[in-house]
Amino acid sequence: MGTPDMGRFFVSDIIVHEIPKRYAAEDDRDLELSEFVVDVGDVVRNFFKERITTTITRYGVDVTVDEGRDQRVPDWVRKHLNGGADLVEMSQDMARHLFKSQDGVQPEGLLVLVDSTLEGEPALAILKLQKEEGARVQRTARGSQSSLNVEHLRELILGQKTRVFKAGLFTLGHGGSVVGWVSDEQVKEFANFFLHQFLGCELAKQPAQTTREFFVITREFINEEVAEPEQKAMIYEALQVEVRSSKDTLSTSEFIATHVPDEYHDTLEQIYADRHLPSGEFTKDTSRIKPSELKSRRGRTRKGLTITGDSNLFDELVSEDERNGERVTVIRDRIITYS
Amino acid sequence: MNDGLAAEFEWLREPFGGLCDQLQGWLQVTARTVGVKEFSVSGRVKETDSFVRKLIKKPHGHYQDPLRDMVDKIGVRIDVLYEADADRLCQAIESENDAFTLLRAPDHKITKLGAATLGYLGVHFDVRPSNVPDGIPPEYGLAEIQVRTYTQAAWAMASHDLIYKLQDILAIPTAVERRIHRLMALVELFDDQVGQARDAIVTHPDFPAARVIDALEGRIVRFTSSARDPELTKIVVDTILEGMDDHEVARLPGLLEEWAAENEGKLGEIYVAYSDDPRHPLLRQPEALLVFHELGQGLTRKNGLRQAWETRLPLVYLDGLAGVWGEPY
């Protein structure tokens, strides 16, 4: 599906509900829920637009409805996007559902529903936030003197650097199905409560599939688009290092910026977009990449030189030839560093 | 006879005012749409005593039905900086539109003057607005639109005073007449020279940024009428262009025109949503469009923009615009 044009994402209404912590033994509780939409003004509306844009662009992954899960949220979203559900009532239902879905592990937080449009069509963003603490400095006066006072705030909900922030953005796809993007800035917890139990969704592509596609597509790019053998080798090596590393995530944009020469940035970015890879970060799962694909090949010459490298590169750059009646190994490359 | 007409005119003045507002609004939107950067729109419904005075001055029978035939009882005016802007506006007024139809061919004052005579050079249009407010008999819903340069406007104001003073002098002394002709020649020359100077700056090979800025200024006025800071525009545009080669810079004005036309809808939506949001001080500056353009030209250009930007400008403003455009870093 790819990332939508978030420049055409606009917020119209915002409603916020406080979701207390639910203890494991607690069955139900009357929640004090918001009962009307407050006009927050353009500045707040645009602030939410920009914050949701950033999180969906950087961390968003395509999701679809998982019919094997609780379908209350997708049903409410579908009804609302079709014009059939009032924002306040639906958000209250969603808040109660979120509270009941919690299993005692999740901390108290806020559920924020953002009624919006995306590329001219109705859209709904669902955010789960935690309150944060902060400090505010304000000038204060005593008689003719002035000074700065530091005030402690416990009620901050969303700043430019808020980390505990999960967001889903939904719209109607072909045939009226609910489609969307979900981001979790704490990516480790992605396969989690918010996505599955609460939203009733699943990743459109599993991390193992995305990781494999990233690996294969990048390898194809190196073979087909990169002309210089030195550059090929450098990107191959970086790809292997990234995939083998202990990091939990990969990022297409970071890979391009860090490991790909400038002249190929646009080409690879376009290839990733055309093949529907996330434009930013995604969870890494190498289970569908065969160990042999990550294995280096090693060759040793009769006189004791060792050549090590990616097996594909090996096939491409190393060949046997006969010169002046003697069998020789030809390596179409150049040594650029010695150790 | 004039008493009854005066009473009817007085009663119609309020709905005529609605018509006047409609036409002023249309002129403002149209001026921005055709890329006129500096303009001033005004309008008025004649005062009732002025309406009667005009009737008194005209010979009996000049107006068959004064409420219908005195088209300039409702008058709107747009004054612009350059003759080229006035030409574009005149074209837009003459084009088919939803706001009005032309009653007759436009009155180009220069045509009446001929080649050997100097004088007022504005263009006047008699129009029939499409949506005549309730309370106005349809046949009375006519108005006059005037298009002038600021210089022509200045001359019109000065001459208005001079001409009425001169009307009583049968034989104008040659020296005075010569002085007036020199003034009128100056008006024409001034507009002509200002236009030529502008074209020379915009097309000068040593100032490629001027063409880019001109293209940006012509576009931003479609979306916002906020006051702009040209000095800041120059700094930002120069900073961005430093990262491009000469060939890219030369092609940029044309590319910007195409890009802006393709993204007209998105830009319109953004500027409406941010009209009351003061957090992005560059958003209403022409250079915001250049930033938006560069953000969408692939990762290399996007990163190049950031690198060029941070050499001279605080990144927080670039990041803000990137968030607005939906292409955050």
Side-chain angles (χ1 to χ4, degrees):
Chain A
M1 194 163 56
T3 312
D5 182 355
M6 293 301 290
R8 296 194 60 214
F9 171 63
F10 297 104
V11 171
S12 40
D13 287 317
I14 297 171
I15 189 161
V16 182
H17 297 289
E18 196 155 25
I19 311 293
K21 184 176 170 67
R22 176 171 176 253
Y23 294 97
E26 193 174 18
D27 193 27
D28 204 357
R29 192 196 312 184
D30 280 339
L31 304 180
E32 201 176 314
L33 299 172
S34 297
E35 292 174 311
F36 59 93
V37 173
V38 178
D39 183 0
V40 293
D42 284 347
V43 170
V44 173
R45 271 192 279 273
N46 290 333
F47 175 73
F48 270 79
K49 164 205 155 78
E50 290 161 28
R51 197 62 185 83
I52 294 167
T53 293
T54 302
T55 193
I56 293 293
T57 308
R58 281 190 193 152
Y59 308 105
V61 290
D62 296 4
V63 297
T64 53
V65 168
D66 179 356
E67 285 168 8
R69 303 267 180 187
D70 190 318
Q71 289 297 284
R72 270 176 282 187
V73 170
D75 287 345
W76 284 322
V77 171
R78 188 180 301 110
K79 196 173 170 194
H80 178 71
L81 294 177
N82 279 314
D86 172 70
L87 180 66
V88 176
E89 280 177 34
M90 177 192 61
S91 67
Q92 289 175 341
D93 289 339
M94 230 180 254
R96 290 187 198 100
H97 171 54
L98 176 59
F99 176 72
K100 283 183 193 166
S101 307
Q102 293 183 156
D103 55 11
V105 176
Q106 290 79 23
E108 66 173 355
L110 297 159
L111 176 70
V112 183
L113 265 73
V114 181
D115 208 3
S116 44
T117 57
L118 178 63
E119 297 177 340
E121 299 296 328
L124 182 75
I126 303 172
L127 317 182
K128 188 168 177 283
L129 311 171
Q130 280 179 35
K131 285 186 197 170
E132 292 186 340
E133 289 181 79
R136 179 173 66 182
V137 176
Q138 278 192 313
R139 190 158 288 281
T140 186
R142 190 178 64 186
S144 61
Q145 295 175 305
S146 81
S147 191
L148 291 176
N149 180 30
V150 181
E151 187 186 350
H152 181 233
L153 299 174
R154 294 170 190 276
E155 305 295 324
L156 296 174
I157 64 161
L158 187 61
Q160 289 291 1
K161 298 200 161 58
T162 303
R163 292 286 299 168
V164 188
F165 174 31
K166 302 173 204 303
L169 175 60
F170 298 95
T171 186
L172 293 176
H174 297 297
S177 59
V178 173
V179 293
W181 302 264
V182 170
S183 75
D184 187 337
E185 298 196 10
Q186 293 173 307
V187 181
K188 279 183 192 172
E189 294 176 12
F190 213 160
N192 65 12
F193 165 80
F194 181 66
L195 178 67
H196 297 307
Q197 282 165 256
F198 175 57
L199 293 178
C201 290
E202 63 180 348
L203 298 178
K205 269 186 207 167
Q206 292 304 312
Q209 188 187 348
T210 310
T211 307
R212 169 144 195 89
E213 286 178 4
F214 167 74
F215 180 72
V216 171
I217 290 166
T218 309
R219 212 169 53 183
E220 283 173 10
F221 155 77
I222 297 167
N223 287 332
E224 291 163 17
E225 303 289 340
V226 181
E228 279 287 308
E230 287 163 22
Q231 290 182 329
K232 276 179 191 273
M234 188 187 74
I235 308 171
Y236 257 127
E237 198 178 322
L239 177 64
Q240 296 223 341
V241 169
E242 287 284 340
V243 173
R244 280 202 207 112
S245 80
S246 58
K247 284 198 301 185
D248 297 315
T249 60
L250 285 167
S251 164
T252 50
S253 56
E254 212 175 289
F255 184 81
I256 294 172
T258 314
H259 303 300
V260 177
D262 287 356
E263 63 266 35
Y264 293 110
H265 279 191
D266 293 347
T267 309
L268 186 53
E269 187 193 24
Q270 193 58 50
I271 288 171
Y272 285 152
D274 291 345
R275 306 283 287 270
H276 304 298
L277 279 178
S279 57
E281 207 168 71
F282 57 91
T283 305
K284 185 168 80 179
D285 178 347
T286 58
S287 59
R288 290 181 60 185
I289 299 175
K290 292 178 201 153
S292 61
E293 291 177 287
L294 288 170
K295 229 176 182 175
S296 297
R297 231 159 109 186
R298 177 185 287 254
R300 194 153 167 211
T301 67
R302 211 186 301 165
K303 290 182 180 168
L305 288 179
T306 306
I307 313 162
T308 310
D310 176 86
S311 53
N312 286 295
L313 263 187
F314 227 95
D315 291 343
E316 192 188 329
L317 301 176
V318 180
S319 58
E320 294 293 317
D321 204 354
E322 194 171 313
R323 287 189 187 168
N324 304 324
E326 192 184 354
R327 296 277 305 166
V328 293
T329 302
V330 179
I331 305 166
R332 285 183 296 110
D333 203 355
R334 191 163 64 86
I335 297 170
I336 50 170
T337 55
Y338 289 91
S339 56
Chain B
M1 183 191 77
N2 287 347
D3 285 350
L5 268 176
E8 193 174 357
F9 185 80
E10 178 62 29
W11 187 79
L12 285 168
R13 282 193 78 247
E14 193 180 329
F16 280 163
L19 214 47
C20 185
D21 292 344
Q22 262 183 39
L23 290 171
Q24 287 185 77
W26 184 86
L27 273 178
Q28 281 173 338
V29 170
T30 303
R32 292 194 188 108
T33 307
V34 300
V36 178
K37 292 173 252 177
E38 299 293 337
F39 64 87
S40 158
V41 172
S42 58
R44 61 96 185 95
V45 177
K46 267 187 188 298
E47 297 292 336
T48 303
D49 54 356
S50 168
F51 172 76
V52 174
R53 283 198 296 271
K54 191 162 184 178
L55 285 181
I56 295 167
K57 280 188 294 183
K58 295 291 178 187
H60 183 66
H62 179 83
Y63 294 122
Q64 278 188 331
D65 181 346
L67 286 166
R68 182 194 64 197
D69 300 339
M70 195 188 292
V71 176
D72 71 349
K73 60 189 178 292
I74 303 168
V76 293
R77 213 174 246 168
I78 182 160
D79 296 335
V80 298
L81 191 54
Y82 299 111
E83 280 181 319
D85 290 340
D87 291 344
R88 285 208 302 281
L89 266 169
C90 288
Q91 277 178 20
I93 292 169
E94 286 183 64
S95 304
E96 196 177 325
N97 63 69
D98 293 339
F100 54 77
T101 49
L102 291 185
L103 280 180
R104 53 188 69 90
D107 179 8
H108 289 267
K109 298 296 180 188
I110 194 168
T111 315
K112 281 187 183 161
L113 292 170
T117 315
L118 298 169
Y120 170 64
L121 297 178
V123 185
H124 293 193
F125 299 85
D126 289 347
V127 301
R128 181 190 299 282
S130 309
N131 299 311
V132 177
D134 289 343
I136 303 177
E139 66 272 23
Y140 295 167
L142 309 175
E144 183 187 76
I145 297 175
Q146 297 182 4
V147 180
R148 316 180 298 186
T149 64
Y150 286 124
T151 326
Q152 288 162 358
W155 166 248
M157 278 192 283
S159 64
H160 190 264
D161 187 51
L162 286 172
I163 283 166
Y164 291 119
K165 284 189 170 63
L166 290 170
Q167 275 175 346
D168 295 335
I169 304 170
L170 292 175
I172 302 168
T174 307
V176 176
E177 195 175 355
R178 188 171 183 79
R179 183 168 291 169
I180 290 167
H181 274 84
R182 277 161 53 200
L183 266 176
M184 290 191 288
L186 184 63
V187 168
E188 277 200 56
L189 268 174
F190 184 89
D191 274 342
D192 190 47
Q193 289 298 306
V194 166
Q196 285 192 38
R198 177 192 169 278
D199 291 347
I201 292 166
V202 167
T203 55
H204 197 290
D206 290 348
F207 304 113
R211 276 184 67 216
V212 174
I213 292 171
D214 190 56
L216 295 171
E217 286 179 335
R219 278 286 168 176
I220 195 74
V221 291
R222 290 174 182 238
F223 308 111
T224 173
S225 54
S226 292
R228 298 180 291 281
D229 183 332
E231 206 178 328
L232 181 60
T233 300
K234 176 91 173 60
I235 292 170
V236 177
V237 170
D238 281 347
T239 304
I240 297 173
L241 298 191
E242 268 166 24
M244 298 183 190
D245 62 38
D246 293 348
H247 180 63
E248 280 176 313
V249 175
R251 290 176 60 224
L252 198 51
L255 293 175
L256 281 167
E257 286 293 324
E258 279 174 31
W259 168 86
E262 281 167 18
N263 287 279
E264 178 96 14
K266 180 175 175 180
L267 288 164
E269 289 172 343
I270 285 176
Y271 280 95
V272 167
Y274 282 82
S275 58
D276 287 326
D277 186 342
R279 291 173 306 130
H280 303 293
L282 294 186
L283 182 60
R284 278 168 274 275
Q285 288 276 104
E287 57 270 29
L289 300 183
L290 181 57
V291 171
F292 292 156
H293 175 263
E294 292 301 301
L295 287 169
Q297 302 304 307
L299 204 57
T300 311
R301 289 279 277 267
K302 189 176 170 183
N303 290 337
L305 170 66
R306 194 171 176 84
Q307 280 168 10
W309 191 282
E310 65 185 341
T311 60
R312 200 165 173 189
L313 298 159
L315 279 175
V316 62
Y317 300 120
L318 175 62
D319 288 338
L321 291 178
V324 171
W325 191 246
E327 286 281 348
Y329 281 97

